[in-house]
Structure formats: structure tokens, C-alpha cells
Amino acid sequence: MEEIIIRGARQHNLKDISLRIPKNRFVVITGVSGSGKSSLAFDTLFAEGQRRYVEALSAYARQFLQRMDPPDVDEIQGLSPAIAIEQKGLPRNPRSTVGTLTEIYDYLRLLFARLGTLHCPHCGKAVRAHTIPQIVDQINEWPQGSRLLVLAPLGNIKERELPKVLRGLRRDGFVRVRLDGRVFELDPAPLIPRRPDYKIEVVVDRLILDNNRIQRLSDALELASKMGGQSLVVVRLEGGEKAFSEAFRCVYCQLEYPPTTPSLFSFHHPAGMCDHCKGLGYIQLAFDGISNLDRKIPSIVKKKSSAHIANRDSVGAIDDDNQKTACPKCLGTRLNETSRAVRLGGQGIHQVSHLAVTAVKHWLEDLKFSPTQSEIASRPVQEMHNRLNALAQLGLSYLTLDRSAPTLSGGEAQRIRLANQLCSHLSGVLYVLDEPSIGLHPGDHQKLLDILFRLRDEGNSLLVVEHDRQTILQADYLIDLGPGAGVRGGELVYCGPPEELLNHPTSLTGHYLSGREQIYFSSRRQPFAKGAISINGASGHNLKNISVRLPLGCLTCITGVSGSGKSTLLLDTLYRALARKLYRSKSSPAPFKSMEGIEQVQKAILVDQSPLGRTPRSTPATYTGLFALIRQLFSRLPEARARGYGAGRFSFNAKGGRCEACKGEGLQTIEMFFLPDVYVTCPVCRGSRFGSETLEILFKGRSIADVLDMTVLDAAALFENIPAIRRKLDILQEVGLGYLRLGQPATTLSGGEAQRIKLAAELALKTSGKTLYILDEPTTGLHFADISRLLHLLHRLVEAGHTVIVIEHHLDVVKTADYVVDLGPEGGEGGGHVVASGAPEEITMVENSITGRYLREALRRQG
């Protein structure tokens, strides 16, 4: 069958839609946020593909997997095995890195274990285990006829034990020993200067190097090794000596080391991890700056002023009580001293891991191997090259292999998964992708598309949820859902070739693509009219000692290719410096020389894409403060007052009103050991989170669980006469989240949705004075129409006297900015410079600016 046929899809807000999707094609699903794109792509097609796969397994295997409910659809025909590549779901384990996620580090461990050379951490000499034949071969490198002494080191002998040792050697037939480079005869007893201990070496044999005496040499070496505890020394009297060991031991320090196995280089394994930080690379510092690892007693909870707590809550990202600092023992490398002492190509594995993708490729290419070593290295090196090339093609060449997984953005995580799939060489698979262009500069989009086309050309079907103009227009087939979000969406607006969508009469996507609708901007403000923040000599990460002026009272965009230094400048330098000044944060900013103008900022708010919470207990309602207001409302209802129910009765986080079977989570956690935990619906409360008595209290016929299951849009209608609740709901709609359910677990939200919830929470607060808002790619997951709405909010903040600085790639946002700072010109070590700064029109005139090149086209479309 050449098509996937869907009949009667009703999952979530889908309105009983039926359609045919061609196989082995690049298919894009688009539409406004909340129109049902993910419901069709992930919750219907991918979920059914996964369910069928699980059902095909044996009953024994199925008992270890989550039971999957079938999606609400009448029929799906022609469905291929499916793989989902989403923005969320990467392990939040701090031990996971780019290297481990891509398996590059696994091949690197194998390479170091088989071909690396351990150098003694104490003396720096190479440590090798030699066999007797190998020792003979090395000695034969000396000229024939050389006079040799074969010595057996006895180690350090105490002065009082020396006479007994010498007598024993004479009795065994040995006639000479070496001490301090001098050879002494044992008969008569030598006169040796007195000292606490002696380093004695027994002369096992004296011989001349000759091919006819190889057997005698071999026998002498064996005896010396036996006497010296598997260590021996061969001296050439004409000059030079060589020390050997049959054990994996330093022949100079006599320290023995474990063999170089792949486990030795794993920071997950006791053989390789740093024993101080347990392989994390950092230690936790409590509020008083003392390492939790060094504490003998539990830390005392310190009292803080309510004002300080309020300030910390407002910025969200500051964590004064639990700061991280690089482990002083391993210096953040995660590995122990022995692991770090193995060298290959002049580098330790920790040094290679600290290189960016491009630099690792160069290091591999520069390695020199013998014919035997080349045979061993061939497969690991090839596999690493494949994965490194895939990362570079996906615009991730600036990432280092030791970059921790929790620090990756949703877009970076998704492209890492895509890189893994490129190396699997599968065919006949349905790939379902969620906005793979997120976090990509326009200059990198075509590279991404070329890779997706390559997957398609290998015989796979690609189903991509996307808002990007370039991706939509290059699709083989387009599915547009809408016309609105939530209950107003879920309908099939259009399906067919992209070019025909441009003339569609009702498609909002078609209107924006054709230019009939545009994201317009008002006249620009005069930058620096209200002052500026000046950052001088910023040199964190890859920033090249740059100085930047950021105007106050304006909307400023920080642009540049991925890895050019945007986050380092704005988040690690500016925000952390402000947080330290305003909120006494313990987090140290990235290095800079000076900063001026920050005294004009009274409050700093960071709105990034980090998760709202790590468990299903965190929801949009709890994060924004809506749930507290709703609980108070329910506690004031006549029935609740008659029963004596307070607001706490309606919380799923406290005993009393919650379901005790799942402790108010609505889900039960199944621990999967080495796999991520699985959450299954609680069979007692059926996911409602509350006990039956609590659910009997109704507001306009709705229980507290019903309210949490409502979308923002529906809840706004229910609470239209409750001003405090309605205001927060209106702001959530303004940021394009009218389709979200109030009680949706935070673990199911995308990075973009989490960011907009944070923005809504901040906008709901009554701010006074001059506030600086810092946003990290706020357009993630937004349709053109939603971006227009978001920009209206941001400009409204600026008009109210605040300052907004945005890290952004989306040209529709950049073109509306009052001021742009473009970093680059490349990512990683090739970035960190200020390429251009000024109004968007001025950026387009800078030839060296990649952003300017694409911005020129965006402004031309604007007319």
C-alpha cells in the first residue's frame, strides 16, 4: 500500500477527520498552536504504530512494557513501524552527555582502551605490560655487540634488613648488585654508605647482545622478572637503559594500575568515575557555600526574609540553596586520575571530550596508527566519523562531547536524536518529527532539510509537525489543521501540494505564506534614548573579549548561528550579573571586565525553556497561581463550607482531598530501572487525582477535577465573572495557550509551551518600575498568527517602560526589533564576535552577517 489511510480520527480535539497520507514522502503538518497537529502525528499515528508493535511481542515481554490504549480512531491502514523524534524526553540524568547520547563516547572509550597508552600520574612515564618476547624485540633495537646488564629490582630495603638480603643473594649464587648507578661485588661484602633504606637491583646476568644468545637473554629476562615481581631493567654499558614490567605497573614508581578496559573510561562505572563527585563532574554547594559531600550533619534550613523569597520566586531560575561548582578533584572531567592519564594522539579522553564536534573530527584524522593498530581502529573511527558528520550537517558542530544533556535545548536534543537515526540506515520506517527546525538559524535550515530528504530517499516516510516557512514550502505534501485552537480546531483545512495552499480561501497558514497576512511592526523606537546597559570585555565560553551596548526601553534581538555565543552573552553573563546584584544569587556570571547601566534596572526576569517541573504534579494551573485561586473559590461554595472543607481539601498535593492510591498524581510510577520511569493512569481515581468526596463539590456543575481537565479557553468561559481568575486565563490565551488543559502535567509540555506559561505568569504580576525581560527563543512552537500575538505583548511591555531582550532566530521577530546584536560569524570557536549591531535595516547592509543576508529577504517580503 502506497498510502496511510486514516478514517474517523477523534483523538483529543480532532473532529472525526479522515485523510490519506502518501508514503515515502516528506509530509508536513501545520496549523495554529493547539489545532491538533500533535494529536494527529504523535497521539494517533505514532501511538498506534507503537501499540501494534508492543502487541506483536510475546506476553512475557509485554509485562515489562507500558500498556498502551489505542487512539480514538475508526481505522488506520498501511501504517509502517514508527519512530518519534520529539523535542522533549531526553534523559535529564546529569551523567548523560552529547557523547553518550550519540554513542560517540562509547566508541571513544573502546579506542582509548585498545590503543591508548597509560602514563603514570606521578612521574609521567608511559606504563605498559610487556611479554618477554616483546622485551627481547625492544632490546634488539640496540646495536649488536652491546654489553648488557639484566637487573631485577628488589624495591626499597631497610638498613637493618640489608645484610640478611645480601647474604641470601650470595647464597643463591648472585655475585653483583647495583646501588645508585654503581655495581658492587657481593664477595667480599661491599662497603655501602649508611642510610635509612636502599634501592637495590640484582645483576641477574651480564652478556653481549648477539642473535646467537637470544635464548640466554630470554632466560635472564624471565629470571629477573620473577625476582623483581614482574619488573626488570636492562642496562647498556655503552649508554642507556630500559625498564620493563610484565604487569601493568610503572617501573619507576612501582605503582600498579588496572588494565585499560572500556570501563576505565566510563564515568558511570566505579572503575572510571571520580570517587569525589561520583562521576557528575560537579559538587553541590549548600546556601553557606559548603559542599554537601563534606557535610557531617544535615544542612540547617536558613530563614530568609519574605522580600528575598519573593524576589527569588519572580526570577525562577535562581537556586541559591543548591549551587553547583566544578569538582576540585577531577576539575569537572568526571573521571578519576588513572582514566585521565591514558593518552592517544597526545590527548586524554577527557580532553577529547571537551572538544567541539569539528575539533574531534580533526583529532581523529590526525591519529597515526601502525598497520595492526589501523585494523583495530578502523570500525570505531568510521562509526565516530559517521556520527560527527551527521551532527555537523544538523548545525551542531559547536557542541562539545562532554556537554551535559540537561543543558541542551529541545531543538538540540531533537537533532541529536535525528543524527542517531541517520547512522542507523533504516528503511520502510515512518519518522514522526516535532519541529526539527527549532533553535536553527535560517542559514542552517537547508542543511536540515537536505538530511530529511536523505532519510526520505532511503525509503522512509517523514511526517513533520512544523511552522517554518522554508520547510512548509519544500514539502512533498502538506496537511493544514485548524481553523483555530482547542475546541475551535481539529478540522482538516487542507491537504495537498504546498503551492496550492497559497490560494486557499480559509487557511490562515496559506494567508501568511502568500503574503495576504503579514506580521507588521510599528515605527521603531530610538535606541539609547532611555540609556543602555554596557557589557565590556565579555569572554565566557567562546566569547572573544567583546563589548556590547544594549538599549533600555526597547525590544532588542540577539541573533547569530547556533553556538555563536548568544546564550553565553545574555543568560550566563548579563542575567547572572543582574541576579547577583538584585537577588544576591550565588551563581557566578561568565567572565567580563565591567558592566555599566545595570543600576537602571529594578527587576530582571528570565523566561527560558527549562521544564516547569520534573513530575506530573506541576501543571499550568499550579505554576501560574491559578490553582490557588480556584481552590479558594471551591472552598467558599455552600456545600464545601457545610462540610468544613478548606482550600487545602482541593489540593492534590495534600492529604484529605487527594486520592491516596496515587498520592494525588493521577498516575502511578512504574520504575523501569535502566529505562526512564513509566507513568500509568491510577486505577482508583482514574486519573482525576482526587477522592470521591472531594469530587462531590461542584461549581456550575463542574468538580475540581473537571476544571483541571478543561482547556484555558473553556475555563475562561466558566470563570468569566471571577475577575482574578479570568485575568490570568486571558493572559494565557494572549500568549497562544488557549488550547492547554489547566491540569496538564508539566512532563508533557514542550519547551516552547513551558516558556510561554512562564511568560504568562510574569505578565500576570503587577510590575512597577523598570523591569528587564530576557526571553530565550519565545517563538518555539508558534504559528505565524501566534507570533503576531506574542509580538503585540512584547511591544506592549516596552511601551509600558520595560526592556525586552530576546534570543531569536525567527526573522519575523528580528525584523520588528528596535535593535539587533548579531554574533558570529560561525558557531563554537569560530563564533563569539560581534558581527553587526544596529536597526534591522542596518544589519542587512553588513556583508559578513549571515543573519543580515536572510533578514534582507524578510524585509523585502514585507515591502
Side-chain angles (χ1 to χ4, degrees):
M1 183 177 287
E2 295 301 315
E3 293 179 314
I4 300 172
I5 301 173
I6 304 169
R7 294 191 179 95
R10 295 176 295 276
Q11 188 72 11
H12 300 319
N13 67 332
L14 296 179
K15 304 284 180 57
D16 200 26
I17 65 173
S18 299
L19 69 155
R20 293 170 178 259
I21 301 174
K23 282 187 174 181
N24 303 328
R25 293 289 182 269
F26 179 52
V27 180
V28 170
I29 304 179
T30 190
V32 297
S33 302
S35 59
K37 303 183 297 298
S38 295
S39 297
L40 175 61
F42 292 95
D43 301 331
T44 302
L45 285 170
F46 172 69
E48 178 64 9
Q50 282 290 90
R51 190 188 69 82
R52 291 181 185 181
Y53 170 72
V54 171
E55 291 297 321
L57 299 175
S58 67
Y60 176 78
R62 288 202 302 271
Q63 70 177 322
F64 299 106
L65 299 172
Q66 178 185 7
R67 191 181 73 82
M68 304 185 74
D69 296 325
D72 190 0
V73 59
D74 291 337
E75 183 182 24
I76 301 179
Q77 295 180 8
L79 190 58
S80 306
I83 294 175
I85 304 177
E86 301 179 79
Q87 296 175 47
K88 54 184 181 291
L90 259 190
R92 306 303 298 178
N93 187 341
R95 297 183 194 277
S96 294
T97 64
V98 171
T100 60
L101 291 170
T102 57
E103 299 179 2
I104 293 172
Y105 191 72
D106 297 319
Y107 289 108
L108 204 56
R109 289 194 294 127
L110 185 61
L111 206 62
F112 269 81
R114 297 295 174 255
L115 300 175
T117 301
L118 174 65
H119 290 73
C120 176
H122 298 279
C123 66
K125 304 289 186 182
V127 178
R128 291 185 179 90
H130 295 86
T131 63
I132 296 298
Q134 287 174 331
I135 298 172
V136 170
D137 289 341
Q138 290 204 32
I139 293 172
N140 269 326
E141 293 174 0
W142 279 330
Q144 293 291 298
S146 298
R147 293 176 298 155
L148 307 180
L149 293 181
V150 179
L151 308 177
L154 299 185
N156 291 330
I157 307 296
K158 297 293 182 185
E159 182 186 18
R160 65 178 178 273
E161 298 172 359
L162 183 61
K164 181 181 176 182
V165 170
L166 296 180
R167 283 196 303 271
L169 291 173
R170 280 198 301 269
R171 187 173 58 247
D172 292 339
F174 295 100
V175 295
R176 296 174 187 85
V177 294
R178 187 172 78 155
L179 172 66
D180 293 338
R182 290 178 57 198
V183 176
F184 294 89
E185 299 283 342
L186 291 177
D187 193 13
L191 294 174
I192 299 173
R194 295 190 63 180
R195 63 179 67 167
D197 51 45
Y198 302 87
K199 186 177 180 182
I200 301 290
E201 296 165 308
V202 182
V203 179
V204 173
D205 199 358
R206 296 189 302 172
L207 68 159
I208 294 174
L209 184 59
D210 190 321
N211 287 333
N212 296 322
R213 292 189 174 93
I214 293 299
Q215 187 57 49
R216 177 178 168 181
L217 173 61
S218 182
D219 292 342
L221 294 173
E222 283 195 32
L223 179 57
S225 177
K226 184 177 179 180
M227 290 187 65
Q230 295 185 296
S231 294
L232 60 96
V233 178
V234 181
V235 178
R236 179 172 177 257
L237 294 179
E238 289 81 3
E241 68 177 64
K242 294 181 179 180
F244 302 96
S245 175
E246 285 192 275
F248 209 63
R249 178 190 299 143
C250 176
V251 294
Y252 301 97
C253 305
Q254 291 301 307
L255 295 172
E256 195 158 337
Y257 296 97
T260 53
T261 63
S263 298
L264 181 66
F265 305 100
S266 171
F267 39 79
H268 294 264
H269 196 279
M273 69 170 58
C274 167
D275 59 4
H276 187 62
C277 64
K278 306 304 179 190
L280 290 172
Y282 61 83
I283 55 175
Q284 301 288 139
L285 291 180
F287 185 70
D288 53 9
I290 301 173
S291 165
N292 286 340
L293 293 171
D294 297 332
R295 287 173 177 269
K296 304 298 183 186
I297 56 173
S299 58
I300 300 170
V301 178
K302 294 172 175 59
K303 295 181 180 180
K304 306 177 183 73
S305 68
S306 58
H308 182 51
I309 292 173
N311 283 339
R312 287 183 59 230
D313 289 344
S314 70
V315 292
I318 303 174
D319 186 4
D320 285 342
D321 295 322
N322 212 12
Q323 293 302 318
K324 297 174 183 177
T325 186
C327 172
K329 191 167 183 180
C330 68
L331 303 178
T333 63
R334 305 167 179 253
L335 297 169
N336 60 35
E337 189 177 52
T338 306
S339 310
R340 303 197 305 271
V342 179
R343 297 281 184 272
L344 181 63
Q347 301 285 325
I349 194 168
H350 60 292
Q351 294 168 313
V352 177
S353 297
H354 198 57
L355 298 175
V357 166
T358 307
V360 177
K361 285 176 63 180
H362 293 325
W363 175 78
L364 282 173
E365 289 162 1
D366 291 341
L367 289 177
K368 299 291 186 289
F369 296 122
S370 68
T372 303
Q373 289 176 325
S374 294
E375 200 169 331
I376 297 169
S378 175
R379 180 67 186 275
V381 169
Q382 183 59 47
E383 291 292 343
M384 281 191 281
H385 268 304
N386 290 343
R387 285 161 171 75
L388 291 166
N389 288 334
L391 289 172
Q393 288 173 323
L394 287 164
L396 298 174
S397 57
Y398 60 92
L399 290 180
T400 59
L401 297 187
D402 61 1
R403 173 84 172 265
S404 181
T407 68
L408 296 169
S409 69
E412 287 170 335
Q414 187 175 202
R415 293 200 296 282
I416 283 174
R417 279 208 201 86
L418 186 55
N420 283 343
Q421 292 303 321
L422 281 175
C423 300
S424 66
H425 303 295
L426 293 173
S427 63
V429 171
L430 171 64
Y431 284 103
V432 186
L433 292 92
D434 185 13
E435 295 192 74
S437 69
I438 284 174
L440 270 183
H441 189 273
D444 295 322
H445 278 189
Q446 193 56 50
K447 294 179 189 174
L448 169 69
L449 290 173
D450 290 342
I451 282 178
L452 296 178
F453 294 150
R454 197 171 101 198
L455 277 177
R456 174 200 63 188
D457 295 341
E458 289 176 355
N460 299 298
S461 304
L462 272 76
L463 193 62
V464 181
V465 175
E466 190 54 272
H467 294 295
D468 173 61
R469 179 190 300 270
Q470 194 174 349
T471 308
I472 293 171
L473 293 177
Q474 293 193 45
D476 298 322
Y477 194 80
L478 197 61
I479 299 168
D480 188 36
L481 298 180
V487 295
R488 298 176 184 173
E491 297 177 19
L492 185 62
V493 176
Y494 170 82
C495 59
E499 55 272 15
E500 293 182 16
L501 178 69
L502 302 181
N503 300 318
H504 195 279
T506 60
S507 168
L508 197 55
T509 306
H511 287 178
Y512 277 96
L513 289 175
S514 64
R516 283 174 286 167
E517 290 270 0
Q518 291 199 19
I519 297 174
Y520 290 101
F521 52 88
S522 58
S523 57
R524 303 198 192 283
R525 300 168 190 85
Q526 187 65 40
F528 307 112
K530 295 184 178 180
I533 293 174
S534 296
I535 306 171
N536 305 308
S539 56
H541 300 310
N542 66 334
L543 294 181
K544 305 297 194 301
N545 196 33
I546 62 173
S547 296
V548 176
R549 291 187 74 210
L550 302 170
L552 295 170
C554 290
L555 172 60
T556 299
C557 271
I558 310 294
T559 63
V561 297
S562 301
S564 58
K566 304 182 296 296
S567 296
T568 302
L569 175 66
L570 199 55
L571 308 186
D572 298 342
T573 308
L574 174 60
Y575 176 71
R576 286 190 179 182
L578 284 169
R580 173 166 280 197
K581 176 181 182 293
L582 298 173
Y583 310 118
R584 298 179 185 175
S585 166
K586 300 295 182 187
S587 293
S588 299
F592 65 93
K593 291 178 182 175
S594 64
M595 197 174 292
E596 300 159 10
I598 58 175
E599 67 281 351
Q600 300 179 67
V601 176
Q602 296 178 4
K603 189 177 181 183
I605 294 172
L606 171 63
V607 186
D608 61 9
Q609 295 188 27
S610 59
L612 298 182
R614 309 252 183 237
T615 70
R617 289 188 182 279
S618 185
T619 66
T622 57
Y623 190 88
T624 57
L626 260 172
F627 196 40
L629 297 174
I630 293 170
R631 288 190 293 113
Q632 288 174 6
L633 174 65
F634 268 79
S635 68
R636 291 172 185 159
L637 295 174
E639 182 65 21
R641 296 178 71 177
R643 297 189 186 190
Y645 291 171
R649 179 80 189 194
F650 300 95
S651 169
F652 49 72
N653 289 322
K655 284 185 177 181
R658 72 182 184 187
C659 167
E660 289 303 323
C662 62
K663 299 293 187 289
E665 289 193 10
L667 302 166
Q668 291 184 344
T669 306
I670 310 299
E671 189 177 343
M672 299 296 285
F673 299 103
F674 57 88
L675 292 173
D677 290 347
V678 169
Y679 299 100
V680 294
T681 303
C682 174
V684 177
C685 66
R686 297 184 180 180
S688 72
R689 302 179 178 226
F690 296 94
S692 56
E693 295 87 356
T694 307
L695 297 177
E696 291 172 1
I697 309 299
L698 304 178
F699 174 75
K700 294 185 179 180
R702 305 294 182 98
S703 69
I704 189 74
D706 294 333
V707 170
L708 287 175
D709 201 43
M710 296 176 76
T711 65
V712 169
L713 195 64
D714 294 336
L718 181 69
F719 298 111
E720 60 180 345
N721 296 320
I722 316 292
I725 297 176
R726 179 60 193 256
R727 181 171 176 269
K728 289 181 181 288
L729 292 168
D730 286 344
I731 293 174
L732 282 169
Q733 289 185 76
E734 285 187 71
V735 296
L737 294 176
Y739 62 91
L740 275 188
R741 290 183 297 111
L742 296 184
Q744 187 167 333
T747 52
T748 66
L749 298 170
S750 70
E753 288 170 335
Q755 185 178 31
R756 279 177 280 151
I757 289 171
K758 292 176 188 176
L759 179 61
E762 294 299 341
L763 292 174
L765 298 174
K766 293 181 178 178
T767 56
S768 59
K770 298 175 180 178
T771 302
L772 172 63
Y773 291 88
I774 297 175
L775 291 88
D776 186 7
E777 295 190 62
T779 61
T780 298
L782 291 185
H783 186 268
F784 302 107
D786 299 313
I787 292 172
S788 183
R789 191 182 296 120
L790 174 68
L791 282 170
H792 175 70
L793 275 177
L794 297 183
H795 282 286
R796 205 170 76 191
L797 284 172
V798 174
E799 286 161 8
H802 304 300
T803 301
V804 179
I805 307 178
V806 180
I807 295 174
E808 191 54 79
H809 293 295
H810 204 296
L811 297 174
D812 284 323
V813 176
V814 180
K815 74 181 184 184
T816 69
D818 302 310
Y819 195 76
V820 178
V821 176
D822 189 38
L823 300 182
E826 299 172 3
E829 280 307 306
H833 298 279
V834 177
V835 177
S837 59
E841 293 81 4
E842 294 173 308
I843 303 298
T844 64
M845 294 185 244
V846 179
E847 285 302 316
N848 198 30
S849 171
I850 300 174
T851 304
R853 215 175 301 156
Y854 289 89
L855 188 56
R856 192 180 308 141
E857 174 61 23
L859 289 172
R860 187 194 62 76
R861 281 199 307 269
Q862 182 79 40

